[in-house]
Amino acid sequence: MGFQLVSGRGIFPASYAGLMAGASVFLAWAFAREIDPDNELSAFVAAFFSGIGFIFFPSPLLLTLLLELMLLRIVNRSTGLPARTLDSFAILLLSGWLLFHGGWIYSILAFLAFVLDAFLPNQSAAS
C-alpha cells in the first residue's frame, strides 16, 4: 500500500492494491505448504517472491489462484481425506464462474482434478 501511495495513487486504490498483494502473498504461501508440507522454509520463500513479484507484475486473478489451490488440495490430498461433496460443489461453482467469464482452461483443470481424484488411490490404502 505504501508503494502505491508513494507512486501517486489515491488512498482507496492503494488500499485495494495492498489487499490484493496480501492475498496473493498468502496464496503463494498456501501453495508452497500444499506442495511441500514438511518444509516450512519453502512457504516463506514463495511468499517473499510473491511479494516482490507483485511490485513488478500486474495483480493476479485471486479467484483463479483460489481455484488452483482447491484443485491442488483435491489432487494432493494433503488433509488425508478425499474431497467432500461441499468441496466439489465449491469447485464446480468457481470453475463455472470463471468459465462464464472466459476462463475455459480452468474448467478443464477442474475436470482433470476430478478425474485424478477418482482414479488415484487413497493415501491410507497406499500406506
Side-chain angles (χ1 to χ4, degrees):
M1 182 174 147
F3 181 76
Q4 297 291 326
L5 283 173
V6 170
S7 66
R9 287 184 143 186
I11 188 74
F12 291 113
S15 298
Y16 179 72
L19 286 173
M20 294 288 285
S24 64
V25 166
F26 169 75
L27 288 171
W29 176 84
F31 269 109
R33 290 294 295 177
E34 286 295 321
I35 293 171
D36 189 13
D38 296 331
N39 190 1
E40 294 179 8
L41 183 62
S42 63
F44 291 109
V45 169
F48 173 76
F49 282 122
S50 174
I52 297 299
F54 194 82
I55 295 171
F56 297 108
F57 298 107
S59 172
L61 299 173
L62 293 181
L63 286 179
T64 60
L65 292 177
L66 180 64
L67 176 67
E68 291 167 1
L69 181 63
M70 293 169 68
L71 294 176
L72 184 61
R73 290 190 79 141
I74 282 181
V75 173
N76 195 19
R77 294 184 183 159
S78 59
T79 60
L81 303 171
R84 297 181 315 210
T85 305
L86 188 61
D87 299 330
S88 300
F89 187 67
I91 288 174
L92 281 175
L93 284 178
L94 192 52
S95 63
W97 177 262
L98 291 170
L99 174 67
F100 181 70
H101 288 287
W104 57 270
I105 191 72
Y106 302 110
S107 296
I108 293 174
L109 290 175
F111 171 76
L112 291 174
F114 284 132
V115 168
L116 287 173
D117 183 46
F119 290 110
L120 287 176
N122 290 336
Q123 287 184 354
S124 60
S127 296

